Amino acid sequence: MTGSLTIAGLGPGDTALITPEVSTALAEATDVLGYAAYVARVGPREGLRLHPSDNRMELQRAGEALKLAAEGRNVVVVSSGDPGVFAMAAAVFEALENSPELRDLPIRVLPGVTAMLAAAARAGAPLGHDFCAINLSDNLKPWTVIEKRLRLAAEADFAIAIYNPRSTSRPDGFARALDILEDAGCADRTTIFARAVTTPKERIEMMPLRDARPEMADMTTLVIVGNSATRRIGRWVYAPRRAS
Ligand code: SAH
């Protein structure tokens, strides 16, 4: 009896942004695992077991998902946005690396609309030219690495999408990040705070980086710092297609 393991992205919040491929996988699942808030987005159904777990349990959850699939279940692990962007897909492959006997399991990764794309679409086209994405959580990497990447991203004049800017357990990192970017010459850069995009709590704010305040971000906010050429036209922000 062979089960399967699918790692699926639920998009940023609105059900209209769940891909048909992910909907089909969820309809065929026997088990859905994930952070409780994401599992709650999957409706209960007869024959479907929901396995919500805590936010920081990624590796344990991945191991459990592999085990259930090896037992013959059709398992879907859910992430918000895209499962490959600061999410469960990497944790599953980390668990798989630790379990060589499971390497022949059928595994699929189904993409989703990641937060930076949903946020960028609301603002206009701030990621229309070269950009990078940085996770500000220092749970799994030292702050020195985050600081170095912010400085070099500023120097390279990338637009910068910042995931996990600020949470109650990490209230100070984002203030430091804003200081680092200001020091690196980004004070004039257009900065977008996109909160809870595509949900009823959505709020989009834009200002020059020098006016950005740490309290403007929370754990449901995606921040985009434009590049040096990023322009505002009315309520829109875009990165010109040409760089000099
Ligand atoms: N895999 C997810 C990212 C997980 S990290 C994805 O691809 O989008 C969690 C961070 O994503 C949050 O702290 C926030 O920065 C961002 N995020 C997720 N959903 C969001 C939304 N609807 N609006 C704004 N930011 C969001």
Side-chain angles (χ1 to χ4, degrees):
M1 188 168 51
T2 316
S4 65
L5 177 53
T6 302
I7 312 144
L10 297 176
D14 187 347
T15 50
L17 294 183
I18 299 177
T19 68
E21 181 181 49
V22 169
S23 296
T24 302
L26 290 171
E28 292 170 352
T30 59
D31 297 78
V32 171
L33 288 81
Y35 171 45
Y38 306 149
V39 171
R41 285 170 57 188
V42 179
R45 151 171 73 75
E46 199 163 312
L48 175 64
R49 286 191 213 155
L50 299 175
H51 306 255
S53 50
D54 189 67
N55 210 357
R56 296 209 181 171
M57 310 283 284
E58 285 103 345
L59 197 56
Q60 194 173 323
R61 181 190 302 142
E64 174 71 8
L66 284 169
K67 184 172 145 276
L68 287 168
E71 288 168 9
R73 316 276 306 166
N74 288 325
V75 180
V76 177
V77 174
V78 289
S79 288
S80 74
D82 181 273
V85 178
F86 310 130
M88 280 305 295
V92 168
F93 291 114
E94 198 177 321
L96 190 66
E97 203 167 355
N98 298 333
S99 305
E101 72 285 3
L102 299 181
R103 288 206 187 147
D104 292 333
L105 267 181
I107 296 180
R108 296 184 303 162
V109 183
L110 307 185
V113 177
T114 187
M116 70 177 173
L117 300 186
R122 285 293 194 258
L127 305 181
H129 199 71
D130 298 343
F131 65 89
C132 66
I134 298 182
N135 183 351
L136 228 57
S137 166
D138 58 359
N139 289 341
L140 298 172
K141 67 185 166 193
W143 178 261
T144 48
V145 169
I146 297 174
E147 181 163 340
K148 181 175 178 188
R149 289 183 181 165
L150 285 168
R151 283 192 194 289
L152 292 176
E155 186 186 333
D157 204 8
F158 285 122
I160 308 169
I162 300 177
Y163 284 77
N164 285 308
R166 192 159 171 268
S167 70
T168 38
S169 60
R170 291 181 294 102
D172 303 326
F174 183 55
R176 286 162 75 185
L178 289 175
D179 286 346
I180 289 164
L181 291 172
E182 200 160 346
D183 273 2
C186 301
D188 294 332
R189 291 210 200 174
T190 297
T191 301
I192 302 155
F193 286 82
R195 181 163 184 265
V197 177
T198 82
T199 80
K201 293 183 174 159
E202 174 174 311
R203 197 176 69 218
I204 312 287
E205 294 178 282
M206 302 166 186
M207 74 278 314
L209 184 113
R210 71 160 58 79
D211 296 333
R213 297 286 159 263
E215 313 75 62
M216 291 172 178
D218 65 8
M219 62 187 291
T220 68
T221 308
L222 188 287
V223 180
I224 297 176
V225 180
N227 69 18
S228 62
T230 296
R231 304 175 61 75
R232 284 183 78 164
I233 31 161
R235 73 179 196 83
W236 299 109
V237 175
Y238 80 101
R241 292 173 303 137
R242 291 180 183 79
S244 46

